[in-house]
Amino acid sequence: GDSVTQMEGPVTLSEEACLTINCTYTATGYPSLFWYVQYPGEGLQLLLKATKADDKGSNKGFEATYRKETTSFHLEKGSVQVSDSAVYFCALGWEKLTFGTGTRLTIIP
Amino acid sequence: DVKVTQSSRYLVKRTGEKVFLECVQDMDHENMFWYRQDPGLGLRLIYFSYDVKMKEKGDIPEGYSVSREKKERFSLILESASTNQTSMYLCASRGPGQGIDTQYFGPGTRLTVL
């Protein structure tokens, strides 16, 4: 079945550092790919998505590119802020979504 | 903006109790989902529904049932709560024409079963 493997956390970075959270997937066909973010005490929010190979999703300074050849969808940001502290989930799917286990990110001032 | 609301943010129940978790969405979405979220396991799909009175089992349906009598409301039922059902429960909805598979989530209900 479909599966998502994402970088183990927790990840702690200093403000303005570069961020990469790795995500690889296994699926039949070419599903849509997503990054969701969960801020403390809140539900999940869609951060960005890509629906086909080579698409780049972007939002709030975050980017991820749908790489078919490496079955990856790594999340990147050039300069993180304290407000980016949250749990990040990679997911794939068509009608139903399959989620990774989540990566907790903490940004220290 | 899409709004998905859940009836309680925190809930404490005793083993053996019947528990109802309610979810309401205000965007006339056809598809609704219930997940549970546990540390190290991510989100796992319990049940989903494509339309009123329709339901499909997800990956971990054991010990749960659901009800969808109205389009906007999707209820998760724990017939006899057990301590291993202590978890965060997240409801989501998805409608047609919103791009592929964009699910909108509620704030979650943290259920503790004693």
Side-chain angles (χ1 to χ4, degrees), chain B:
Chain B
D1 276 357
V2 175
K3 191 162 186 182
V4 180
T5 56
Q6 295 183 229
S7 50
S8 305
R9 292 299 299 270
Y10 300 93
L11 207 53
V12 179
K13 296 292 182 180
R14 297 214 173 268
T15 301
E17 281 192 77
K18 190 169 185 176
V19 181
F20 293 86
L21 303 182
E22 305 286 342
C23 175
V24 177
Q25 48 93 5
D26 66 355
M27 284 298 291
D28 202 36
H29 286 175
E30 294 181 347
N31 303 334
M32 297 186 75
F33 307 81
W34 274 107
Y35 297 88
R36 63 176 283 175
Q37 180 184 4
D38 300 290
L41 297 176
L43 274 73
R44 293 178 292 167
L45 182 64
I46 304 171
Y47 266 97
F48 61 104
S49 170
Y50 287 128
D51 205 345
V52 175
K53 297 195 185 294
M54 294 181 65
K55 59 184 179 183
E56 297 283 342
K57 292 180 179 179
D59 300 319
I60 52 164
E62 296 78 18
Y64 303 94
S65 63
V66 290
S67 173
R68 184 115 182 254
E69 297 296 319
K70 293 185 178 181
K71 194 173 187 179
E72 67 270 18
R73 188 179 298 269
F74 191 36
S75 303
L76 180 69
I77 303 159
L78 287 65
E79 295 289 343
S80 178
S82 63
T83 55
N84 63 12
Q85 292 178 310
T86 291
S87 187
M88 170 71 88
Y89 290 87
L90 294 170
C91 175
S93 73
R94 178 178 74 93
Q98 292 189 3
I100 299 174
D101 293 314
T102 300
Q103 292 190 14
Y104 297 87
F105 283 82
T109 296
R110 184 166 295 282
L111 173 67
T112 302
V113 183
L114 302 176

Side-chain angles (χ1 to χ4, degrees), chain A residues 32 34 36 38 41-46 49 51 87 89 93-102, chain B residues 9 33 35 37 40-43 45 48 50 57 90 94 98-103 105-108:
Chain A
S32 295
F34 307 84
Y36 279 83
Q38 186 178 35
E42 299 183 15
L44 272 69
Q45 302 174 25
L46 179 66
K49 66 180 180 182
T51 58
V87 181
F89 292 91
W94 292 273
E95 296 172 329
K96 297 185 295 178
L97 294 183
T98 298
F99 286 84
T101 55
Chain B
R9 292 299 299 270
F33 307 81
Y35 297 88
Q37 180 184 4
L41 297 176
L43 274 73
L45 182 64
F48 61 104
Y50 287 128
K57 292 180 179 179
L90 294 170
R94 178 178 74 93
Q98 292 189 3
I100 299 174
D101 293 314
T102 300
Q103 292 190 14
F105 283 82

